[in-house]
Amino acid sequence: MATSLPLRISRSTPDEPTTPYKQYVYAYPHQKAYRLGEDRPLLTDVWAGERLDALSLYVHIPFCEMRCGFCNLFTRTGAPEHVTRGFLDTLERQAAATREALDANGTPRFTLAAFGGGTPTYLTADELRRLCDICENVMGADLAAVPWSVETSPATATADRIALLARRGATRLSIGVQSFVEEEARAAIRPQKRAEVDAALSRLKEAAFPILNIDLIYGIDGQTEQSFQVSLDAALSWEPEEIYLYPLYVRPLTGLMAKHDKSGESWDEQRLRLYRFGRDHLLAAGYRQTSMRVFSRIGTAAVDGADDSNISEYNQQAGMVGLGVGARSFTTDLHYTTDYAVAVPEVRRIIDDYIATPTDDFRRAQWSFRMDDDERRRMYILGMLLEADGLRVDQYADLFGGLPQDDFPAQFALVTERDWVREDGGRLRLTLEGMAWADAIGPLFFSHRVNEAMSSYRDR
């Protein structure tokens, strides 16, 4: 649908990247650009005029059994039963208010679903059953009929939880292993035993989900190609449909902030060296790289059914409905969410406040970011350019009435000069080296408005 809004694109020249590891762009804009709105519109108005026939449902479960040293996600560790029960009670009220707003504008139909966090499988099997019931009976999502992804951990991938998810139709389970080497796991402040990891993976394989994903991290103190290969080969031995390779980031207020050793070899050099080693190792093992982080095994549902079997790493177009404290929702004109923090006291306060939220408050968008024509163009470019299939120039022109190179000449001049992006068959694609620098390329397209909002955000 071509926009009818006047074109107002910021022409500021982006800063030259000095590090490959600037910002992981999993959604644009980052949640740090959201603000608590003075004008908090009703969701019935926010969703007016939106397409409701191909919605995505995302449920954020803000609980984990432990907090990893690198984690800056919105999550609480060790939540007792009365907190998780109160959270689900509130989630059900939020779901009812959200469904009411959608129904006021038509008949909602969900085509994708995901449970993220945190660790959704921190919930007991009975709590997971209730969560599925809320999604199906209140929101109207048919979990048995749509691609549906769930994140888990070695400690919480228990037989009863996995059996429940399999019965309810989950199609993708993603397990955060990070490293199969116990010394590296401890260095990342993620103490776990290899036997526990293998036992969890054995249960996941036995459940035969269409897609099993294993997360690994590179850039840990002391990690070498030899030790990284131990983890890569251990992951490959389970024949997962996907493997994600994440560069280690050390963010404010995380456990590694004061402990991570950046002396000696440049950390950027270590991460780039390990990234290239891991990439080449997985490509040689029969995997296809679909983004900087994502490797999918050729001949499986992760590749052959990629259009309809999984939620894209950068899937952020209008039509995302978020439930749970920390979840984001996306419409054409407004992105909205709840409050957000990293520090333990603030996270606990926000979760407690969420549980006590009156139902009427769920009928309005609270923390939000107002999209305009410029921001929509940037979001679209980031959603396509950072994927292996690239940005189709003709589709961009159909949507926005111009060429991406004309709308963002400085950015595309820079990435072309660096040989990070090339035009290929009507698509702008990352080169092999451009894929390695994806976390530097993404921030080039952030608007001044977003950068200013993020820089003024106070970490808490």
Side-chain angles (χ1 to χ4, degrees), residues 4 29 39 79 98 117 127 158 207 229 251 286 294 305 310 332 372 406 425 433 452 456:
S4 60
D39 172 28
T98 302
E127 289 171 331
T158 57
Q229 185 171 345
R251 298 300 195 192
V294 184
N310 196 7
T332 304
D372 59 23
D406 293 339
E433 186 65 4
E452 195 172 60
S456 65

Side-chain angles (χ1 to χ4, degrees), residues 24 54 59 107 150 194 233 244 285 289 296 355 385 436 444:
Y24 175 23
V59 184
T107 303
V150 183
R194 172 71 184 270
D233 287 342
Y244 275 46
Q289 186 173 17
S296 303
I355 291 172
L385 185 63
L444 294 175

Side-chain angles (χ1 to χ4, degrees), residues 131-143:
L131 178 60
C132 292
D133 288 344
I134 291 170
C135 292
E136 293 188 330
N137 301 334
V138 181
M139 290 305 298
D142 187 353
L143 296 180

Side-chain angles (χ1 to χ4, degrees), residues 302-324:
V303 172
D304 297 341
D307 290 339
D308 57 7
S309 297
N310 196 7
I311 294 179
S312 166
E313 183 183 8
Y314 298 104
N315 179 43
Q316 199 206 344
Q317 302 308 308
M320 176 75 80
V321 179
L323 295 177

Side-chain angles (χ1 to χ4, degrees), residues 125 156-165 167 203:
T156 62
T158 57
D160 58 341
R161 293 172 169 107
I162 297 309
L164 182 279
L165 294 172
R167 285 197 304 272
R203 290 189 290 270

Side-chain angles (χ1 to χ4, degrees), residues 28-57:
Y28 177 81
H30 191 278
Q31 201 157 351
K32 289 183 178 181
Y34 292 42
R35 294 293 183 268
L36 184 60
E38 295 180 4
D39 172 28
R40 300 175 193 178
L42 288 166
L43 296 191
T44 51
D45 296 331
V46 170
W47 285 96
E50 296 291 314
R51 280 191 58 182
L52 301 180
D53 60 339
L55 298 172
S56 300
L57 178 64

Side-chain angles (χ1 to χ4, degrees), residues 282-436:
L282 294 183
L283 294 178
Y287 284 72
R288 172 179 178 258
Q289 186 173 17
T290 59
S291 76
M292 177 188 174
R293 289 163 172 74
V294 184
F295 296 81
S296 303
R297 185 153 59 93
I298 296 170
T300 70
V303 172
D304 297 341
D307 290 339
D308 57 7
S309 297
N310 196 7
I311 294 179
S312 166
E313 183 183 8
Y314 298 104
N315 179 43
Q316 199 206 344
Q317 302 308 308
M320 176 75 80
V321 179
L323 295 177
V325 62
R328 283 184 268 184
S329 298
F330 307 129
T331 69
T332 304
D333 294 328
L334 192 74
H335 294 185
Y336 64 93
T337 184
T338 63
D339 199 359
Y340 160 83
V342 175
V344 171
E346 281 293 287
V347 170
R348 291 193 174 205
R349 178 191 64 76
I350 292 169
I351 292 174
D352 290 345
D353 287 349
Y354 170 78
I355 291 172
T357 299
T359 300
D360 274 352
D361 285 2
F362 289 129
R363 296 189 170 97
R364 293 183 178 273
Q366 303 292 328
W367 293 73
S368 63
F369 183 91
R370 179 68 62 179
M371 298 295 287
D372 59 23
D373 193 51
D374 179 26
E375 301 293 3
R376 279 188 286 270
R377 291 168 190 253
R378 294 172 187 273
M379 185 185 75
Y380 187 84
I381 287 173
L382 290 168
M384 301 298 171
L385 185 63
L386 300 182
E387 296 280 348
D389 288 342
L391 170 64
R392 280 186 54 177
V393 175
D394 60 342
Q395 285 187 346
Y396 182 93
D398 287 344
L399 285 167
F400 301 112
L403 299 178
Q405 304 97 314
D406 293 339
D407 288 345
F408 302 96
Q411 288 88 341
F412 280 106
L414 191 155
V415 297
T416 301
E417 180 184 351
R418 292 281 189 101
D419 197 28
W420 289 342
V421 173
R422 294 177 186 169
E423 187 160 4
D424 173 25
R427 295 175 187 257
L428 295 170
R429 299 179 190 268
L430 295 178
T431 63
L432 195 64
E433 186 65 4
M435 195 72 80

